[in-house]
Short mmCIF file of all heavy atoms in Angstrom, two decimals:
data_model
loop_
_atom_site.label_atom_id
_atom_site.label_comp_id
_atom_site.label_asym_id
_atom_site.label_seq_id
_atom_site.Cartn_x
_atom_site.Cartn_y
_atom_site.Cartn_z
N MET A 14 -78.17 11.18 69.74
CA MET A 14 -76.87 10.55 69.91
C MET A 14 -76.17 10.41 68.49
O MET A 14 -76.77 9.83 67.61
CB MET A 14 -76.99 9.22 70.57
CG MET A 14 -75.63 8.51 70.81
SD MET A 14 -75.91 6.95 71.80
CE MET A 14 -76.78 5.98 70.56
N ALA A 15 -75.15 10.98 68.30
CA ALA A 15 -74.43 10.94 67.07
C ALA A 15 -73.40 9.88 66.93
O ALA A 15 -72.93 9.43 68.06
CB ALA A 15 -73.65 12.36 66.78
N ASN A 16 -72.94 9.41 65.84
CA ASN A 16 -72.05 8.22 65.78
C ASN A 16 -70.55 8.72 65.48
O ASN A 16 -69.68 7.90 65.45
CB ASN A 16 -72.51 7.30 64.67
CG ASN A 16 -72.43 8.07 63.26
OD1 ASN A 16 -72.02 9.17 63.10
ND2 ASN A 16 -72.99 7.45 62.22
N GLY A 17 -70.30 10.01 65.52
CA GLY A 17 -68.92 10.39 65.37
C GLY A 17 -68.25 10.39 64.02
O GLY A 17 -67.10 10.46 63.87
N GLN A 18 -69.10 10.28 62.97
CA GLN A 18 -68.49 10.22 61.51
C GLN A 18 -68.46 11.61 60.96
O GLN A 18 -67.76 11.78 60.04
CB GLN A 18 -69.41 9.38 60.79
CG GLN A 18 -69.25 7.84 61.15
CD GLN A 18 -70.05 6.90 60.20
OE1 GLN A 18 -70.85 7.38 59.45
NE2 GLN A 18 -69.83 5.64 60.35
N ASN A 19 -69.14 12.57 61.46
CA ASN A 19 -69.12 14.00 60.98
C ASN A 19 -68.30 14.87 61.96
O ASN A 19 -68.59 14.92 63.15
CB ASN A 19 -70.60 14.51 60.80
CG ASN A 19 -71.35 13.73 59.72
OD1 ASN A 19 -70.88 13.39 58.68
ND2 ASN A 19 -72.56 13.46 60.16
N ARG A 20 -67.47 15.56 61.29
CA ARG A 20 -66.53 16.44 62.05
C ARG A 20 -67.21 17.55 62.77
O ARG A 20 -66.89 17.96 63.94
CB ARG A 20 -65.43 17.06 61.16
CG ARG A 20 -64.28 17.65 61.77
CD ARG A 20 -63.14 18.01 60.64
NE ARG A 20 -61.80 18.27 61.29
CZ ARG A 20 -61.51 19.37 61.77
NH1 ARG A 20 -62.39 20.46 61.88
NH2 ARG A 20 -60.26 19.52 62.42
N ALA A 21 -68.31 18.02 62.25
CA ALA A 21 -69.13 19.06 62.82
C ALA A 21 -69.66 18.63 64.21
O ALA A 21 -69.92 19.64 65.06
CB ALA A 21 -70.23 19.46 61.90
N ASP A 22 -69.89 17.38 64.34
CA ASP A 22 -70.41 16.79 65.66
C ASP A 22 -69.49 16.81 66.77
O ASP A 22 -69.89 16.63 67.94
CB ASP A 22 -71.07 15.51 65.33
CG ASP A 22 -72.26 15.60 64.32
OD1 ASP A 22 -72.91 16.61 64.33
OD2 ASP A 22 -72.72 14.47 63.86
N VAL A 23 -68.24 16.72 66.34
CA VAL A 23 -67.06 16.38 67.35
C VAL A 23 -66.37 17.70 67.72
O VAL A 23 -65.82 18.33 66.79
CB VAL A 23 -66.07 15.39 66.89
CG1 VAL A 23 -65.14 15.01 67.85
CG2 VAL A 23 -66.86 14.05 66.40
N LYS A 24 -66.35 18.04 68.97
CA LYS A 24 -65.76 19.24 69.41
C LYS A 24 -64.91 19.09 70.65
O LYS A 24 -65.22 18.21 71.39
CB LYS A 24 -66.76 20.35 69.65
CG LYS A 24 -67.64 20.76 68.51
CD LYS A 24 -68.43 21.94 68.83
CE LYS A 24 -69.21 22.34 67.57
NZ LYS A 24 -69.62 21.32 66.47
N PRO A 25 -63.78 19.85 70.80
CA PRO A 25 -62.95 19.53 72.07
C PRO A 25 -63.91 19.79 73.28
O PRO A 25 -64.78 20.70 73.26
CB PRO A 25 -61.93 20.63 71.84
CG PRO A 25 -61.80 20.88 70.38
CD PRO A 25 -63.18 20.68 69.83
N GLY A 26 -63.60 19.03 74.28
CA GLY A 26 -64.38 19.13 75.52
C GLY A 26 -65.58 18.25 75.68
O GLY A 26 -66.11 18.08 76.84
N ILE A 27 -66.04 17.63 74.64
CA ILE A 27 -67.12 16.60 74.78
C ILE A 27 -66.73 15.31 75.05
O ILE A 27 -65.56 14.84 74.84
CB ILE A 27 -68.03 16.66 73.45
CG1 ILE A 27 -67.25 16.09 72.26
CG2 ILE A 27 -68.65 18.00 73.16
CD1 ILE A 27 -68.22 15.76 71.03
N GLU A 28 -67.60 14.50 75.81
CA GLU A 28 -67.27 13.13 76.19
C GLU A 28 -67.77 12.18 75.04
O GLU A 28 -68.84 12.25 74.53
CB GLU A 28 -68.04 12.84 77.55
CG GLU A 28 -67.47 11.69 78.25
CD GLU A 28 -68.02 11.57 79.65
OE1 GLU A 28 -69.14 11.99 79.84
OE2 GLU A 28 -67.37 10.97 80.42
N VAL A 29 -66.82 11.28 74.76
CA VAL A 29 -67.08 10.30 73.66
C VAL A 29 -66.59 8.88 74.06
O VAL A 29 -65.75 8.85 74.99
CB VAL A 29 -66.36 10.83 72.29
CG1 VAL A 29 -66.92 12.09 71.87
CG2 VAL A 29 -64.82 10.83 72.60
N TYR A 30 -66.97 7.97 73.24
CA TYR A 30 -66.35 6.72 73.24
C TYR A 30 -65.57 6.52 71.92
O TYR A 30 -66.04 7.03 70.82
CB TYR A 30 -67.34 5.55 73.22
CG TYR A 30 -68.01 5.19 74.51
CD1 TYR A 30 -69.35 5.38 74.80
CD2 TYR A 30 -67.18 4.59 75.51
CE1 TYR A 30 -69.80 4.96 76.02
CE2 TYR A 30 -67.67 4.24 76.69
CZ TYR A 30 -69.03 4.46 77.01
OH TYR A 30 -69.48 4.10 78.16
N VAL A 31 -64.31 6.13 72.00
CA VAL A 31 -63.48 5.82 70.91
C VAL A 31 -63.04 4.51 70.83
O VAL A 31 -63.13 3.76 71.83
CB VAL A 31 -62.30 6.78 70.91
CG1 VAL A 31 -62.64 8.21 70.91
CG2 VAL A 31 -61.36 6.52 72.15
N ILE A 32 -62.62 4.09 69.75
CA ILE A 32 -61.97 2.70 69.42
C ILE A 32 -60.62 3.07 69.22
O ILE A 32 -60.20 3.64 68.15
CB ILE A 32 -62.62 1.95 68.40
CG1 ILE A 32 -64.19 1.62 68.85
CG2 ILE A 32 -61.92 0.54 68.09
CD1 ILE A 32 -64.99 0.78 67.78
N LEU A 33 -59.58 2.56 70.09
CA LEU A 33 -58.22 2.78 69.89
C LEU A 33 -57.73 1.83 68.79
O LEU A 33 -58.33 0.76 68.47
CB LEU A 33 -57.41 2.50 71.26
CG LEU A 33 -57.87 3.24 72.41
CD1 LEU A 33 -57.06 2.86 73.65
CD2 LEU A 33 -57.69 4.73 72.13
N LYS A 34 -56.54 2.15 68.15
CA LYS A 34 -55.87 1.42 67.13
C LYS A 34 -55.74 -0.09 67.59
O LYS A 34 -56.16 -1.03 66.94
CB LYS A 34 -54.56 1.93 66.78
CG LYS A 34 -53.80 1.25 65.63
CD LYS A 34 -54.44 1.71 64.31
CE LYS A 34 -53.61 1.15 63.22
NZ LYS A 34 -54.42 1.31 61.82
N LYS A 35 -55.26 -0.33 68.77
CA LYS A 35 -54.95 -1.64 69.35
C LYS A 35 -56.29 -2.44 69.57
O LYS A 35 -56.20 -3.58 69.53
CB LYS A 35 -54.10 -1.61 70.59
CG LYS A 35 -54.91 -0.94 71.88
CD LYS A 35 -53.90 -0.95 73.06
CE LYS A 35 -54.57 -0.21 74.20
NZ LYS A 35 -55.67 -1.05 74.76
N ASP A 36 -57.45 -1.73 69.66
CA ASP A 36 -58.63 -2.39 69.95
C ASP A 36 -59.55 -2.41 68.78
O ASP A 36 -60.69 -2.88 68.82
CB ASP A 36 -59.55 -1.65 70.99
CG ASP A 36 -58.74 -1.60 72.43
OD1 ASP A 36 -58.05 -2.58 72.61
OD2 ASP A 36 -58.78 -0.63 73.08
N GLN A 37 -59.02 -2.16 67.44
CA GLN A 37 -59.99 -2.25 66.35
C GLN A 37 -60.55 -3.65 66.06
O GLN A 37 -61.53 -3.77 65.55
CB GLN A 37 -59.19 -1.73 65.03
CG GLN A 37 -59.07 -0.19 65.16
CD GLN A 37 -58.36 0.31 63.92
OE1 GLN A 37 -57.61 -0.45 63.19
NE2 GLN A 37 -58.49 1.63 63.59
N ARG A 38 -59.70 -4.68 66.34
CA ARG A 38 -60.11 -6.08 66.16
C ARG A 38 -61.24 -6.50 67.07
O ARG A 38 -62.22 -7.09 66.56
CB ARG A 38 -58.93 -7.07 66.20
CG ARG A 38 -57.97 -7.03 65.17
CD ARG A 38 -56.78 -8.03 65.30
NE ARG A 38 -55.93 -8.22 64.18
CZ ARG A 38 -56.27 -8.94 63.24
NH1 ARG A 38 -57.34 -9.75 63.20
NH2 ARG A 38 -55.40 -9.11 62.26
N THR A 39 -61.07 -6.00 68.31
CA THR A 39 -62.18 -6.49 69.30
C THR A 39 -63.31 -5.41 69.39
O THR A 39 -64.40 -5.90 69.76
CB THR A 39 -61.47 -6.50 70.71
OG1 THR A 39 -60.96 -5.25 71.09
CG2 THR A 39 -60.46 -7.48 70.79
N GLY A 40 -63.07 -4.16 68.92
CA GLY A 40 -64.11 -3.24 68.92
C GLY A 40 -64.40 -2.69 70.42
O GLY A 40 -65.31 -2.07 70.67
N MET A 41 -63.38 -2.90 71.29
CA MET A 41 -63.48 -2.44 72.65
C MET A 41 -63.50 -0.82 72.75
O MET A 41 -62.70 -0.29 72.16
CB MET A 41 -62.44 -2.96 73.51
CG MET A 41 -62.58 -2.79 74.98
SD MET A 41 -61.30 -3.29 76.02
CE MET A 41 -60.20 -2.05 76.11
N LYS A 42 -64.52 -0.28 73.46
CA LYS A 42 -64.66 1.15 73.53
C LYS A 42 -63.88 1.75 74.74
O LYS A 42 -63.89 1.05 75.70
CB LYS A 42 -66.09 1.52 73.46
CG LYS A 42 -66.86 1.10 72.31
CD LYS A 42 -68.41 1.53 72.49
CE LYS A 42 -69.21 1.10 71.27
NZ LYS A 42 -70.66 1.48 71.44
N THR A 43 -63.44 2.81 74.47
CA THR A 43 -62.64 3.66 75.53
C THR A 43 -63.40 4.97 75.77
O THR A 43 -63.53 5.73 74.79
CB THR A 43 -61.15 3.87 75.21
OG1 THR A 43 -60.53 2.56 74.97
CG2 THR A 43 -60.42 4.54 76.29
N LYS A 44 -63.76 5.29 77.03
CA LYS A 44 -64.43 6.53 77.15
C LYS A 44 -63.39 7.65 77.52
O LYS A 44 -62.44 7.48 78.20
CB LYS A 44 -65.34 6.27 78.41
CG LYS A 44 -66.36 7.42 78.68
CD LYS A 44 -67.28 7.08 79.87
CE LYS A 44 -68.31 7.98 80.00
NZ LYS A 44 -69.23 7.59 81.24
N GLY A 45 -63.70 8.88 77.05
CA GLY A 45 -62.83 9.99 77.24
C GLY A 45 -63.32 11.35 76.84
O GLY A 45 -64.46 11.38 76.29
N VAL A 46 -62.56 12.31 77.08
CA VAL A 46 -62.92 13.72 76.76
C VAL A 46 -62.05 14.16 75.64
O VAL A 46 -60.73 13.99 75.62
CB VAL A 46 -62.85 14.70 77.91
CG1 VAL A 46 -63.13 16.12 77.55
CG2 VAL A 46 -63.77 14.23 79.01
N VAL A 47 -62.62 14.75 74.55
CA VAL A 47 -61.83 15.11 73.35
C VAL A 47 -60.87 16.40 73.67
O VAL A 47 -61.34 17.37 74.17
CB VAL A 47 -62.81 15.62 72.22
CG1 VAL A 47 -61.97 16.07 70.88
CG2 VAL A 47 -63.59 14.28 71.77
N LYS A 48 -59.66 16.15 73.24
CA LYS A 48 -58.60 17.28 73.37
C LYS A 48 -58.42 17.90 71.98
O LYS A 48 -58.64 19.12 71.85
CB LYS A 48 -57.37 16.82 73.96
CG LYS A 48 -56.42 17.89 74.16
CD LYS A 48 -55.05 17.40 74.82
CE LYS A 48 -54.07 18.52 75.00
NZ LYS A 48 -52.83 17.91 75.51
N ASP A 49 -58.11 17.08 70.97
CA ASP A 49 -57.75 17.59 69.64
C ASP A 49 -58.52 16.75 68.73
O ASP A 49 -58.69 15.51 68.77
CB ASP A 49 -56.20 17.62 69.30
CG ASP A 49 -55.50 18.31 70.32
OD1 ASP A 49 -55.69 19.49 70.56
OD2 ASP A 49 -54.43 17.64 70.87
N LEU A 50 -58.81 17.37 67.48
CA LEU A 50 -59.44 16.52 66.39
C LEU A 50 -58.25 16.40 65.44
O LEU A 50 -57.51 17.28 65.14
CB LEU A 50 -60.48 17.46 65.62
CG LEU A 50 -61.90 17.30 66.27
CD1 LEU A 50 -62.05 17.96 67.57
CD2 LEU A 50 -62.89 17.82 65.29
N LEU A 51 -58.13 15.14 64.90
CA LEU A 51 -56.93 14.79 64.05
C LEU A 51 -57.25 14.52 62.62
O LEU A 51 -56.44 14.48 61.82
CB LEU A 51 -56.14 13.59 64.76
CG LEU A 51 -55.62 13.75 66.11
CD1 LEU A 51 -55.05 12.43 66.59
CD2 LEU A 51 -54.75 14.90 66.30
N THR A 52 -58.62 14.37 62.42
CA THR A 52 -59.11 14.10 61.11
C THR A 52 -59.38 15.60 60.51
O THR A 52 -60.12 16.27 61.05
CB THR A 52 -60.37 13.28 61.07
OG1 THR A 52 -59.97 12.05 61.56
CG2 THR A 52 -60.97 13.14 59.55
N ASN A 53 -58.91 15.78 59.27
CA ASN A 53 -59.16 17.13 58.69
C ASN A 53 -60.46 17.10 57.71
O ASN A 53 -61.00 18.25 57.50
CB ASN A 53 -57.88 17.48 57.85
CG ASN A 53 -56.80 17.94 58.73
OD1 ASN A 53 -56.88 18.44 59.64
ND2 ASN A 53 -55.56 17.58 58.28
N SER A 54 -60.76 15.95 57.16
CA SER A 54 -61.92 15.88 56.30
C SER A 54 -63.22 16.07 57.19
O SER A 54 -63.30 15.99 58.27
CB SER A 54 -61.94 14.58 55.56
OG SER A 54 -62.05 13.50 56.35
N GLN A 55 -64.30 16.53 56.42
CA GLN A 55 -65.50 16.76 56.96
C GLN A 55 -66.26 15.57 57.61
O GLN A 55 -67.09 15.56 58.57
CB GLN A 55 -66.49 17.43 56.01
CG GLN A 55 -66.05 18.86 55.70
CD GLN A 55 -65.87 19.79 56.97
OE1 GLN A 55 -66.77 19.81 57.75
NE2 GLN A 55 -64.71 20.41 57.04
N SER A 56 -65.91 14.41 56.96
CA SER A 56 -66.55 13.15 57.55
C SER A 56 -65.58 11.98 57.24
O SER A 56 -64.61 12.04 56.52
CB SER A 56 -67.85 12.86 56.85
OG SER A 56 -67.76 12.59 55.49
N HIS A 57 -65.75 10.92 58.03
CA HIS A 57 -64.91 9.75 57.82
C HIS A 57 -65.82 8.44 58.22
O HIS A 57 -66.40 8.41 59.17
CB HIS A 57 -63.67 9.77 58.72
CG HIS A 57 -62.77 8.69 58.38
ND1 HIS A 57 -62.80 7.41 58.75
CD2 HIS A 57 -61.50 8.80 57.69
CE1 HIS A 57 -61.82 6.64 58.27
NE2 HIS A 57 -61.01 7.51 57.68
N PRO A 58 -65.80 7.45 57.26
CA PRO A 58 -66.61 6.24 57.51
C PRO A 58 -66.35 5.60 58.84
O PRO A 58 -67.27 4.88 59.28
CB PRO A 58 -66.54 5.40 56.28
CG PRO A 58 -65.21 5.87 55.68
CD PRO A 58 -65.03 7.40 56.07
N HIS A 59 -65.14 5.57 59.38
CA HIS A 59 -64.73 4.85 60.53
C HIS A 59 -64.82 5.75 61.79
O HIS A 59 -64.45 5.23 62.87
CB HIS A 59 -63.39 4.18 60.34
CG HIS A 59 -63.33 3.15 59.21
ND1 HIS A 59 -62.34 3.15 58.35
CD2 HIS A 59 -64.15 2.32 58.86
CE1 HIS A 59 -62.50 2.17 57.45
NE2 HIS A 59 -63.77 1.68 57.74
N GLY A 60 -65.20 6.96 61.61
CA GLY A 60 -65.23 7.85 62.73
C GLY A 60 -64.14 8.90 62.69
O GLY A 60 -62.98 8.63 62.20
N ILE A 61 -64.36 10.11 63.31
CA ILE A 61 -63.35 11.08 63.32
C ILE A 61 -62.19 10.78 64.27
O ILE A 61 -62.44 10.27 65.44
CB ILE A 61 -64.01 12.46 63.73
CG1 ILE A 61 -65.12 12.96 62.75
CG2 ILE A 61 -62.93 13.55 63.93
CD1 ILE A 61 -64.59 13.05 61.35
N LYS A 62 -60.94 10.82 63.79
CA LYS A 62 -59.83 10.45 64.75
C LYS A 62 -59.62 11.72 65.62
O LYS A 62 -59.56 12.76 65.17
CB LYS A 62 -58.61 10.31 63.86
CG LYS A 62 -57.58 9.59 64.72
CD LYS A 62 -56.29 9.34 63.95
CE LYS A 62 -56.36 7.97 63.24
NZ LYS A 62 -55.09 7.56 62.61
N VAL A 63 -59.36 11.40 66.96
CA VAL A 63 -59.24 12.41 67.98
C VAL A 63 -58.18 11.99 69.05
O VAL A 63 -57.83 10.76 69.05
CB VAL A 63 -60.57 12.66 68.80
CG1 VAL A 63 -61.69 13.25 67.86
CG2 VAL A 63 -60.99 11.41 69.46
N ARG A 64 -57.60 13.01 69.63
CA ARG A 64 -56.72 12.68 70.79
C ARG A 64 -57.52 13.05 72.09
O ARG A 64 -58.15 14.18 72.20
CB ARG A 64 -55.45 13.55 70.72
CG ARG A 64 -54.53 13.33 71.86
CD ARG A 64 -53.19 14.20 71.81
NE ARG A 64 -52.45 13.82 70.74
CZ ARG A 64 -52.26 14.58 69.60
NH1 ARG A 64 -52.73 15.76 69.44
NH2 ARG A 64 -51.47 14.12 68.62
N LEU A 65 -57.52 12.14 72.97
CA LEU A 65 -58.26 12.39 74.25
C LEU A 65 -57.44 13.24 75.22
O LEU A 65 -56.17 13.25 75.00
CB LEU A 65 -58.61 11.01 74.88
CG LEU A 65 -59.58 10.17 74.01
CD1 LEU A 65 -59.81 8.79 74.74
CD2 LEU A 65 -60.83 10.80 73.65
N GLU A 66 -57.97 13.65 76.27
CA GLU A 66 -57.24 14.52 77.27
C GLU A 66 -56.08 13.73 77.83
O GLU A 66 -55.22 14.31 78.31
CB GLU A 66 -58.19 15.17 78.27
CG GLU A 66 -59.01 16.34 77.62
CD GLU A 66 -59.70 17.10 78.61
OE1 GLU A 66 -60.01 16.66 79.75
OE2 GLU A 66 -60.15 18.22 78.24
N ASP A 67 -56.27 12.33 77.90
CA ASP A 67 -55.23 11.58 78.55
C ASP A 67 -54.06 11.21 77.56
O ASP A 67 -53.22 10.48 77.87
CB ASP A 67 -55.81 10.29 79.22
CG ASP A 67 -56.50 9.45 78.30
OD1 ASP A 67 -56.46 9.55 77.13
OD2 ASP A 67 -57.07 8.37 78.67
N GLY A 68 -54.25 11.69 76.25
CA GLY A 68 -53.21 11.35 75.38
C GLY A 68 -53.46 10.33 74.33
O GLY A 68 -52.82 10.08 73.32
N GLN A 69 -54.46 9.42 74.61
CA GLN A 69 -54.83 8.32 73.84
C GLN A 69 -55.46 8.80 72.42
O GLN A 69 -56.13 9.79 72.54
CB GLN A 69 -55.71 7.39 74.42
CG GLN A 69 -55.09 6.74 75.73
CD GLN A 69 -55.94 5.63 76.26
OE1 GLN A 69 -55.88 4.38 76.02
NE2 GLN A 69 -56.95 6.06 77.09
N VAL A 70 -55.18 8.06 71.44
CA VAL A 70 -55.64 8.47 70.05
C VAL A 70 -56.58 7.36 69.59
O VAL A 70 -56.21 6.15 69.62
CB VAL A 70 -54.54 8.79 68.98
CG1 VAL A 70 -55.08 8.99 67.66
CG2 VAL A 70 -53.67 9.96 69.52
N GLY A 71 -57.72 7.69 69.07
CA GLY A 71 -58.61 6.76 68.55
C GLY A 71 -59.70 7.39 67.67
O GLY A 71 -59.77 8.58 67.58
N ARG A 72 -60.66 6.57 67.19
CA ARG A 72 -61.82 7.06 66.24
C ARG A 72 -63.04 7.11 67.01
O ARG A 72 -63.38 6.20 67.81
CB ARG A 72 -61.83 6.20 65.06
CG ARG A 72 -60.66 6.39 64.06
CD ARG A 72 -60.96 5.75 62.71
NE ARG A 72 -59.76 6.00 61.86
CZ ARG A 72 -59.48 7.09 61.15
NH1 ARG A 72 -60.22 8.10 61.24
NH2 ARG A 72 -58.41 7.18 60.33
N VAL A 73 -63.69 8.17 66.95
CA VAL A 73 -64.99 8.33 67.64
C VAL A 73 -66.06 7.35 67.13
O VAL A 73 -66.34 7.29 65.95
CB VAL A 73 -65.47 9.80 67.53
CG1 VAL A 73 -66.80 9.88 68.36
CG2 VAL A 73 -64.49 10.72 68.19
N CYS A 74 -66.53 6.56 68.08
CA CYS A 74 -67.70 5.68 67.63
C CYS A 74 -69.06 6.00 68.28
O CYS A 74 -70.02 5.65 67.70
CB CYS A 74 -67.34 4.20 67.99
SG CYS A 74 -67.11 3.92 69.73
N GLU A 75 -68.94 6.92 69.22
CA GLU A 75 -70.22 7.26 69.91
C GLU A 75 -70.01 8.63 70.64
O GLU A 75 -68.96 8.78 71.34
CB GLU A 75 -70.77 6.22 70.83
CG GLU A 75 -72.05 6.38 71.38
CD GLU A 75 -72.43 5.15 72.31
OE1 GLU A 75 -72.10 4.03 72.01
OE2 GLU A 75 -73.22 5.43 73.28
N ILE A 76 -70.89 9.53 70.51
CA ILE A 76 -70.85 10.80 71.21
C ILE A 76 -71.90 10.72 72.52
O ILE A 76 -73.02 10.34 72.22
CB ILE A 76 -71.13 11.93 70.36
CG1 ILE A 76 -70.08 12.06 69.25
CG2 ILE A 76 -71.19 13.25 71.16
CD1 ILE A 76 -70.41 13.08 68.16
N LEU A 77 -71.40 10.99 73.60
CA LEU A 77 -72.29 10.94 74.76
C LEU A 77 -72.94 12.23 74.99
O LEU A 77 -72.52 13.34 74.62
CB LEU A 77 -71.41 10.52 76.06
CG LEU A 77 -70.69 9.13 75.92
CD1 LEU A 77 -69.75 8.97 77.01
CD2 LEU A 77 -71.68 8.04 75.67
#
């Protein structure tokens, strides 16, 4: 199980848990399928930013 901080681990079509911007204070996780990767760097300490298939944007905290 990867934590979503490395871009190489995150690919379109995989199921992940993300933390949305509005949920950063509470840490509430949202489950979804990756549509697009929005982070260009190879890694990010808070998780790779992605757009889910339903249009929501968040940082990957867990890869399922």
Side-chain angles (χ1 to χ4, degrees):
M14 184 174 68
N16 60 8
Q18 292 181 350
N19 294 318
R20 197 171 194 275
D22 298 337
V23 182
K24 299 187 174 29
I27 66 169
E28 198 170 27
V29 295
Y30 277 116
V31 299
I32 297 179
L33 304 176
K34 183 78 173 174
K35 68 181 177 70
D36 296 328
Q37 282 179 347
R38 285 179 172 274
T39 63
M41 192 178 91
K42 297 177 181 179
T43 303
K44 191 175 183 180
V46 177
V47 176
K48 182 179 180 186
D49 302 310
L50 277 69
L51 303 177
T52 299
N53 290 322
S54 60
Q55 290 306 308
S56 65
H57 192 285
H59 300 134
I61 299 299
K62 189 180 276 188
V63 297
R64 180 178 295 113
L65 301 178
E66 287 188 339
D67 64 5
Q69 297 185 96
V70 173
R72 292 196 181 273
V73 177
C74 59
E75 193 177 321
I76 297 173
L77 303 176

